[in-house]
């Protein structure tokens, strides 16, 4: 008779954590996690931040291996900045709809229609798109990047149309905007925000510029219809800092729900409310502790960028990091 194979018991979170730590030491690996990652993944990471912070952390690490708990384009950025290191993405399917909303070929065609224009790409793009760009930016430094471009130059901004229209309004520059969106942020509509704010009228409102409600928020702010002192349009890193420094006790947070974990940890005495619990990115949540362990055990899934593409993309990324 064939013996029955008995499945081994799944590891507890504690066992997973100690095994990850052991392998991390053995392999000289660093764990980087984006603000939108699952709480337990953030808790085990050596550094948690936005893509700018993660790019900076990747650039300064002396580890041999970077386990990137985020999405594919972010791991590519780390691979471009650290060509001598092994960059692993624990789930190879962790992509992002926004990065897929423009290809390098589409960008080349757009540039051909606007010769001489300066191309500013939000960080949520593939390495090939970055290689076609003059500047890369995050939501934290996008305004600074736009203002650094001479007034007489035409600007093409991609791929997020909500962030693009926000930049157009704040800088007053006639920016041409690609019609891409992040489906998670686009779902944060004005009606959703209005009902949340009506339920918590004293809460400070922190909104990410990728949200589908950013244009209406800007409009209401300009008209004085909502309180300027109580509303802040910020990157995720900016939100964490604002939550720490503000005197408010309650915050409504309009972005992916992952960042609330960091805010709660940094300011446990304050209350953080998502616009809705459903604002979760399924790609970001693909990374689990099991997959992090598997990545370290099997050295999967390596993310590499072809040298000629990496060389050109690095110029745009280094400008972002410098600004
Ligand atoms: O730049 C990033 O990491 C993203 C995608 C959002 C933010 O504001 O942190």
């Amino acid at each position: 008779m064939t013996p029955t194979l008995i499945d081994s018991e799944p590891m507890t979170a504690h066992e997973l954590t100690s095994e990850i730590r052991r392998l991390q030491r053995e392999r000289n690996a660093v764990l980087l996690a984006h603000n939108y990652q699952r709480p337990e993944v953030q808790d085990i990471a050596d550094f948690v931040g936005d893509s700018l912070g993660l790019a900076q952390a990747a650039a300064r690490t002396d580890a041999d291996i970077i386990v990137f708990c985020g999405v594919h384009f972010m791991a590519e950025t780390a691979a471009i900045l650290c060509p001598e290191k092994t960059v692993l993405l624990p789930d190879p399917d962790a992509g992002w709809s926004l990065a897929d909303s423009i290809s390098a070929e589409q960008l080349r065609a757009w540039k051909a229609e606007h010769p001489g224009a300066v191309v500013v790409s939000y960080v949520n793009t593939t390495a090939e798109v970055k290689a076609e760009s003059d500047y890369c930016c995050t939501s934290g430094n996008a305004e600074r990047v736009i203002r650094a471009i001479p007034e007489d130059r035409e600007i093409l901004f991609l791929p997020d149309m909500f962030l693009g229209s926000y930049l157009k309004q704040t800088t007053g520059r006639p920016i041409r905007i690609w019609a891409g969106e992040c489906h998670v942020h686009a779902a944060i509509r004005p009606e959703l925000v209005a009902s949340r704010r009506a339920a918590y009228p004293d809460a400070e409102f922190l909104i990410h510029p990728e949200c589908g409600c950013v244009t209406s928020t800007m409009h209401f702010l300009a008209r004085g219809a909502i309180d300027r002192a109580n509303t802040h349009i910020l990157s995720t890193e900016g939100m964490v800092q604002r939550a720490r420094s503000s005197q408010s006790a309650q915050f409504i947070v309009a972005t992916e729900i992952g960042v609330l974990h960091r805010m709660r940890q940094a300011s446990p005495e304050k209350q953080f409310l998502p616009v809705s619990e459903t604002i979760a990115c399924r790609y970001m949540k693909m990374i689990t502790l099991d997959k992090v362990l598997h990545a370290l055990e099997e050295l999967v899934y390596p993310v590499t960028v072809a040298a000629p593409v990496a060389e050109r993309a690095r110029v745009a990324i280094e400008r972002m990091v410098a600004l």
Side-chain angles (χ1 to χ4, degrees):
M1 202 173 110
T2 322
T4 314
L5 283 177
I6 300 169
D7 282 341
S8 55
E9 286 285 309
M11 288 170 108
T12 63
H14 178 71
E15 287 166 339
L16 274 170
T17 304
S18 17
E19 193 51 14
I20 289 170
R21 291 270 179 255
R22 187 187 67 75
L23 276 172
Q24 226 193 313
R25 279 192 299 274
E26 197 175 298
R27 300 210 183 273
N28 188 24
V30 69
L31 256 65
L32 306 183
H34 190 267
N35 287 329
Y36 295 156
Q37 289 289 293
R38 292 169 182 269
E40 64 275 21
V41 173
Q42 293 190 31
D43 288 346
I44 200 174
D46 298 298
F47 179 85
V48 184
D50 65 355
S51 38
L52 177 60
L54 293 169
Q56 290 166 331
R60 67 173 176 257
T61 185
D62 53 12
D64 297 316
I65 295 173
I66 298 174
V67 180
F68 208 103
C69 303
V71 289
H72 193 265
F73 78 83
M74 296 177 181
E76 270 187 340
T77 303
I80 291 166
L81 292 174
C82 317
E84 74 293 352
K85 298 189 191 302
T86 301
V87 177
L88 303 175
L89 183 64
D91 188 320
D93 293 329
W96 197 321
S97 60
L98 184 55
D100 292 337
S101 69
I102 184 165
S103 66
E105 204 180 327
Q106 286 172 309
L107 176 52
R108 278 192 288 272
W110 199 29
K111 281 164 64 169
E113 287 167 24
H114 303 278
V118 177
V119 178
V120 181
S121 290
Y122 187 33
V123 68
N124 301 24
T125 46
T126 62
E128 292 202 337
V129 166
K130 287 187 179 80
E132 292 292 335
S133 308
D134 297 297
Y135 285 91
C136 199
C137 71
T138 64
S139 43
N141 70 359
E143 214 176 306
R144 228 171 310 146
V145 169
I146 299 288
R147 290 188 196 282
I149 298 168
E151 292 276 346
D152 59 343
R153 300 292 299 276
E154 188 177 13
I155 300 173
L156 305 183
F157 182 85
L158 61 111
D160 190 86
M161 61 179 172
F162 296 113
L163 177 58
S165 68
Y166 166 70
L167 293 169
K168 199 169 171 171
Q169 289 195 53
T170 51
T171 64
R173 300 288 293 270
I175 305 170
R176 292 187 187 275
I177 302 164
W178 188 260
E181 62 175 31
C182 156
H183 66 284
V184 176
H185 283 94
I188 305 182
R189 303 299 310 160
E191 319 74 68
L192 200 56
V193 168
S195 75
R196 201 64 162 155
R197 297 195 75 180
Y200 298 93
D202 298 328
E204 209 169 283
F205 179 48
L206 308 184
I207 165 176
H208 193 275
E210 274 182 55
C211 290
C213 59
V214 75
T215 316
S216 67
T217 302
M218 295 281 289
H219 175 71
F220 290 133
L221 280 172
R223 275 185 33 209
I226 54 177
D227 182 4
R228 192 168 281 277
N230 237 8
T231 305
H232 301 272
I233 302 176
L234 296 164
S235 66
T236 54
E237 213 49 46
M239 288 182 178
V240 175
Q241 283 165 23
R242 174 70 205 165
R244 272 205 201 105
S245 63
S246 165
Q247 298 300 315
S248 303
Q250 207 174 47
F251 301 80
I252 295 171
V253 181
T255 191
E256 211 274 354
I257 54 170
V259 74
L260 275 83
H261 180 64
R262 247 189 99 194
M263 293 171 134
R264 288 175 181 140
Q265 278 186 325
S267 313
E269 72 292 358
K270 300 179 182 173
Q271 190 185 14
F272 299 98
L273 305 151
V275 163
S276 156
E277 289 291 348
T278 61
I279 306 298
C281 173
R282 76 181 178 90
Y283 297 109
M284 281 285 181
K285 305 304 188 231
M286 281 179 173
I287 312 293
T288 60
L289 289 184
D290 294 275
K291 290 179 189 173
V292 172
L293 177 58
H294 184 236
L296 281 165
E297 281 170 342
E298 305 294 330
L299 297 183
V300 288
Y301 295 87
V303 174
T304 53
V305 178
V309 174
E311 227 166 88
R312 293 172 61 213
R314 191 175 302 120
V315 177
I317 295 169
E318 284 177 350
R319 285 181 179 153
M320 163 182 93
V321 174
L323 275 169

